[in-house]
Amino acid sequence: MSRTKQFKAESKRLLDLMINSIYTHREIFLRELISNASDAIDKLYYHALSEGLSGLSREDFAIDIALDKENRTLTLTDNGCGMTKEELENNLGTIAKSGSLAFKKENGDGENAKDIDIIGQFGVGFYSAFMVAKDVKVVSKAFGSEEAWCWQSQGVEGYTIDPCGKESHGTQIELTLKDNTEDENYDEFLETYRVRELVKKYSDYIRYPIRLPVQKSRVKEDTKDSEKPEYESYTEIETLNSMVPIWKKSKSELTKEDYNNFYKEKFMDFEDPMRVIHSSTEGTATYNALLFIPARAPYNYYTRDFEKGLQLYASGVLIMEKCPDLLPDYFSFVRGLVDSQDLSLNISREMLQHDRQLKIIASRLEKKIKSELESLLKSDREAYEKFFSNFGLQLKYGLYSDYGMHKDVLQDLILFTSSFEKKLVTLADYVSRMKEEQKYIYYMSGETVERIDHLPQIELLKEKGYEVLYLTDDVDEFALTMLREYDGKEFKNAASGDLGLESEEEKEAAKKLGEENKELLEAMQKALGDRVAQVRLSSRLKSHPACLSSDGDLSLEMEKVLNAMPSDQKVKAQRVLELNASHPVFQKLRELQREDSQRLETYTSLLYNQALLMEGLPVEDPIAFSNQICELMQ
Ligand code: ADP
């Protein structure tokens, strides 16, 4: 036997790191070895194609797994390109030296480049075997070579390499599993069901059959008809993987049923998805994507527990269960997967985050999802509204977040209830039917559509025939504030001081009226103290004597939302009490100003509290309020 060779120095440290920390799940060793085997077959197949070797066809290739409980070995055999002695030394003696990558560099230019679709390019996968094995034996015979070599290692100490016998080309890797300890049990990797499960999970779409002999039992032929049939056991070779992933099939081959079944099985939903997006792209980024919009929001969707992300495959091999970087937050409801051959099968999440290809793919997907939603909105309004009732809130959060950066993606996807017919409308719908002289897009916030519909603040707008958007979710007004305008039209809170509706003459007349009643307004403002910034005459009120509005950027609704959040800092909108000078109550106020200043104070306070109630805000002192009313009644 030959002398033990040391791993190259840096390899030793890397190997140690590898075994102990890089992979969190040791079960992935199987995925790595299968991927290597599949690569090796790809390489041979590629040579066969490019050099016109006859007699090799795709059907001849396979990856075989054998489990031996007695000797505690798991053996993986492929009939790929195999390795020469030098290749064994170079590829397995130096960690992070990837033969696959070198191969791609040599052969990857020109026409055939895209045919080479090789998973392992990083050069560490093989060593993951040491996470579960105390001894790794690699017997390999390069295609076209006469000799076979055996590489063997027990880990960091080094490896040996010796000539040996092997019938046909390819590689056989035999792992002797580590001994069980109190905390760790390695026996699971000797169980048929477990190996089947792992292949299904990580390597289902490897294009060559991954086979495993499985023990089964059957009734003995000659005892079939007897009263006591006897059983015998036999071995069947089971192919564990399904090989062709649905997303690699062409759309024309697939039915709605196929997609729905795949979705329900894979993502464990009991309902069909409401929309399927199947796309393949070539060019700057080559990938297949299969995305689904669920029919219903998962129960934890709007909680912290919800984790967004798409499954990520590198050439058919699952490398991440939930890759968050593929989806923006506002589309976090999308489920599905992406398979690309352009991704290097990197070793850690952190590295993946900086992957340029991944970024390109993510931005393509975003566009795709957006256009899909837009087409749904156009073609099936009812379905879109259903979608929106599930995920609309998330889109609105998206508008608000990152300082409105995602405006272009999202502004045409959101809906609000309109004062017209109380139906959901888009901003484009609204703008398309604005009145000729109308300057703003008006909105009003409140608890429910019904409540907003009765608010005094929008009476004038309604009278003028202007449409008003009714905002009922907390985030709505924040989102619109972030948006500022749509199609050149600014948003205007119907409860803000100036609605921009008055003509110059009307303004002049209002100013005059204000001056005439200056003393009354001042007296009322004094009575309210710092509860309001101003008391003034209103031009918007029709049937109500008073209402609240606000000056400045912070509206009453925003004040409500912000103050409901867990924070010590409370905010206060600049409140304005608006009075309707044509209302009989106003005449009463004028009378009182002349005759009974005490009572004026009481009335002022009553009007203010009424306005608060209509706004859905609490009255400040309910007992005083109720006493005042009783006083009036007596
Ligand atoms: P990677 O697969 O990321 O390149 P590995 O450490 O898994 O890194 O493997 C190192 C190299 O060893 C591979 O690039 C390949 O050239 C070679 N190799 C590994 N397994 C096999 C195999 N089953 N058949 C042929 N070559 C293999």
Side-chain angles (χ1 to χ4, degrees), residues 36 40 43 78 83 91-92 98-100 120-126 171:
N36 281 349
K43 282 180 204 168
D78 69 66
M83 284 175 273
N91 293 337
L92 308 186
S98 170
S100 295
Q121 287 171 26
F122 204 76
V124 288
F126 169 77
T171 303

Side-chain angles (χ1 to χ4, degrees), residues 32-41 43 76-78 80-83 87-88 90-92 94-103 118-128 138 140 170-173 345:
E32 297 298 320
L33 297 184
I34 290 174
S35 295
N36 281 349
S38 163
D39 283 353
I41 297 175
K43 282 180 204 168
L76 197 92
T77 311
D78 69 66
C81 61
M83 284 175 273
E87 283 169 334
L88 276 169
N90 286 335
N91 293 337
L92 308 186
T94 316
I95 299 169
K97 158 143 186 157
S98 170
S100 295
L101 189 62
F103 179 84
I118 284 166
I119 305 153
Q121 287 171 26
F122 204 76
V124 288
F126 169 77
Y127 297 94
S128 62
V138 181
S140 196
T171 303
Q172 182 171 64
I173 300 180
L345 185 60

Side-chain angles (χ1 to χ4, degrees), residues 298-309:
Y299 72 97
N300 66 349
Y301 185 60
Y302 290 104
T303 72
R304 277 154 172 264
D305 293 342
F306 181 80
E307 245 188 284
K308 67 163 184 173

